[in-house]
Amino acid sequence: MKKKLSCIIALLMMLSVSAVAVAQKTPKRQFRAAWIQCVNGQFQGLSKEEMQQNLTYQLNELQKDGANAIIFQVRPECDALYRSNIEPWSKFLTGTQGKDPGWDPLAWMVAECHKRNMEIHAWINPFRAKTKGTMSLAVNNIAVTHPERIFQYDGLYILNPALSVNREYICKVADDIVRRYDVDGLHIDDYFYPYPVAGVEIPDKQYWQQSGTSLNIGDWRRENVDKFIEQLSDSIHKVKPWIKFGVSPFGIYRNSSSSSIGSNTRGLQNYDDLYADVIKWVNKGWIDYCAPQLYWQIGHKTADYATLIRWWNKYAGNRPLYIGEDVERCIKYADVNNPNTNQVAAKHKLHTECNNVDGTVLWYSRTAVDNYDKFGIFLRNYYWKYPALQPLMPFIDGKAPNKPRKLKAKSTDKGVFLSWRKPKGDTWNDEAVKYVVYQFRKDEPVDIDDASHIISITDGEAILVNKPSQKGKYVYLVTALDRMSNESETVSKKLKVK
């Protein structure tokens, strides 16, 4: 009986999801990402082959789900999941900080993500030099070589944000990553000043007093973080202008009890408790995208998801806005208006209603990968069924590349073969790096804003696609994309498919 009831509930949910999906035109541009973290120890102690097998499985399943970006944690505690001459190898690879694993996970991930036409964003924790669980640091960890530059807080080691030498050091690390690896983005998480612990003070008052500032200590700390964000943004864009600099802040900026623009919530605050003025960064243009962690459920008593997504939609629209989504909580909690279903469809509906929301980042990858309570199925069959281009960032570059040349189309026994020539353009902001292939029946209106007609996004100049299910006359169109996903004009070819 329980099994039958479970099937009925699942069917009702699927019908609900389907209704939402059908009602909404599939968006052509969306950031569809997942965080792949290392700090949970999922890779620790694995051999090269075992870790690559693990990541291959995750990437393959996320590709099937429709993901177009991966945010991969490469620096959890002033260490490296890549070959670095600045910081030690991470303990989250071998179990011992500083021990060479014999391969470069970031280099491998860049190649594997790009092979699947996914962006890869290198995720670093900027200020944390030691997590609570780390008992031994490598001799070249910054906390060992320069202990005067860190402070301890509740078992953590933190690079003091007040010191300009620390801000410069983090920029040096980030510059090294973007210079040597073909990553698409540089991503930082929600740790600036440490999360507050009752009865434990941040030991930085002497630096505040010595600074000679007229600011109170809270404003002084926020100014330190502001300086860092602006400096990091400028630094990485000087190395590679096309790198997307993103921040994933805690989900509450300020409560209404603290600010006239605060949300109707009663939780910890970015501005007041972590000293992170995220909305300032958005409005100043210091970050290229914002992905607040809205991990709560609709109806949460102190941090209601519906309240928060609408708040971020209203106040963070000056840069692309992606919602950090907790998969387990989407599944665990019932829809407040329909207790027979979970909150997946209701949250998706809120996404579609918020005009500044340009995508989703799943926390965490494995819950979608392992199809937790059929969440992966819902992604690939409904929410992320059709391919999506990355959201535009005209503040970095808004000029489209030239269109492809010499498109050819041929119907074969194995499928429809399409080929074209790369358009002219060889600088980062006009070179074609990918192509979008569309298919329309001859009697259909051509609307390339309808993502359901995208049959492929590829980095090649030829492709074999499946024949359409019905014989007849079709129109195939191809466009070029540059590094910022600006799209060229179309080239087209009519073809009779037998």
Side-chain angles (χ1 to χ4, degrees), residues 252 255-256 263-267 296-308 329 333 336 343:
I252 299 174
N255 299 313
S256 56
S263 54
N264 185 21
T265 50
R266 298 187 302 278
W296 303 277
Q297 68 272 23
I298 299 171
H300 191 283
K301 292 182 179 179
T302 59
D304 173 52
Y305 178 95
T307 297
L308 284 166
R329 289 202 180 196
Y333 291 95
V336 293
Q343 294 196 354

Side-chain angles (χ1 to χ4, degrees), residues 161-348:
L163 302 180
S164 61
V165 66
N166 282 341
R167 300 194 291 267
E168 291 165 3
Y169 173 75
I170 300 165
C171 289
K172 179 182 177 182
V173 170
D175 289 356
D176 179 58
I177 293 172
V178 300
R179 180 176 288 107
R180 293 193 297 116
Y181 295 89
D182 188 23
V183 295
D184 303 284
L186 194 287
H187 182 90
I188 63 175
D189 49 31
D190 52 324
Y191 295 93
F192 302 102
Y193 279 88
Y195 274 73
V197 175
V200 182
E201 290 189 359
I202 298 173
D204 65 345
K205 285 188 178 179
Q206 62 173 333
Y207 295 95
W208 169 57
Q209 293 166 345
Q210 292 169 2
S211 70
T213 182
S214 60
L215 300 173
N216 65 45
I217 195 167
D219 288 339
W220 172 76
R221 288 171 178 161
R222 275 182 288 275
E223 183 182 63
N224 294 333
V225 179
D226 285 349
K227 288 177 180 177
F228 165 70
I229 294 295
E230 184 178 18
Q231 184 178 351
L232 180 59
S233 178
D234 289 344
S235 181
I236 62 176
H237 286 130
K238 284 179 182 176
V239 176
K240 290 181 180 176
W242 60 87
I243 295 293
K244 300 173 182 179
F245 174 40
V247 177
S248 176
F250 182 72
I252 299 174
Y253 174 67
R254 301 192 82 183
N255 299 313
S256 56
S257 59
S258 301
S259 169
S260 59
I261 68 162
S263 54
N264 185 21
T265 50
R266 298 187 302 278
L268 183 136
Q269 305 164 99
N270 273 292
Y271 185 94
D272 303 84
D273 301 309
L274 302 177
Y275 306 100
D277 193 351
V278 184
I279 298 303
K280 179 178 182 179
W281 309 341
V282 168
N283 290 330
K284 289 282 189 180
W286 294 342
I287 61 177
D288 299 321
Y289 68 86
C290 182
Q293 299 169 21
L294 305 193
Y295 290 167
W296 303 277
Q297 68 272 23
I298 299 171
H300 191 283
K301 292 182 179 179
T302 59
D304 173 52
Y305 178 95
T307 297
L308 284 166
I309 192 173
R310 290 173 179 137
W311 187 93
W312 285 97
N313 180 68
K314 180 177 180 179
Y315 290 101
N318 283 344
R319 282 293 185 263
L321 174 64
Y322 314 140
I323 302 302
E325 199 76 72
D326 186 312
V327 174
E328 290 185 354
R329 289 202 180 196
C330 289
I331 298 295
K332 179 180 177 181
Y333 291 95
D335 184 344
V336 293
N337 295 316
N338 186 357
N340 290 324
T341 68
N342 60 38
Q343 294 196 354
V344 175
K347 285 188 173 183
H348 178 72

Side-chain angles (χ1 to χ4, degrees), residues 54-95:
N54 179 308
L55 286 168
T56 296
Y57 168 67
Q58 294 200 49
L59 294 178
N60 285 344
E61 292 304 304
L62 288 167
Q63 183 182 28
K64 294 174 188 174
D65 290 341
N68 61 16
I70 298 296
I71 301 176
F72 182 53
Q73 190 174 26
V74 300
R75 184 185 184 264
E77 49 179 3
C78 291
D79 54 358
L81 273 82
Y82 59 95
R83 196 165 296 281
S84 171
N85 292 323
I86 303 173
E87 296 188 308
W89 284 105
S90 177
K91 81 160 192 179
F92 295 107
L93 287 171
T94 63

Side-chain angles (χ1 to χ4, degrees), residues 30-36 58-71 113 116-119 360-362 365 368-369 376 379-380 383-388 390 434 457:
Q30 275 189 327
F31 189 70
R32 301 172 176 176
W35 280 292
I36 298 183
Q58 294 200 49
L59 294 178
N60 285 344
E61 292 304 304
L62 288 167
Q63 183 182 28
K64 294 174 188 174
D65 290 341
N68 61 16
I70 298 296
I71 301 176
C113 287
R116 294 168 175 81
N117 285 309
M118 294 176 174
E119 287 194 349
T360 306
V361 188
L362 302 177
S365 64
V369 164
L379 288 179
R380 66 185 66 178
Y383 302 147
W384 293 354
K385 181 177 180 179
Y386 301 110
Q390 297 293 340
K434 291 183 183 179
I457 300 174

Side-chain angles (χ1 to χ4, degrees), residues 19 44 76 102 159 165 174 194 206 220 263-264 345 353 367 370 388 445 459 480:
Q44 190 166 308
L159 282 172
V165 66
Q206 62 173 333
W220 172 76
S263 54
N264 185 21
E353 291 172 352
T367 49
D370 290 341
D459 59 2

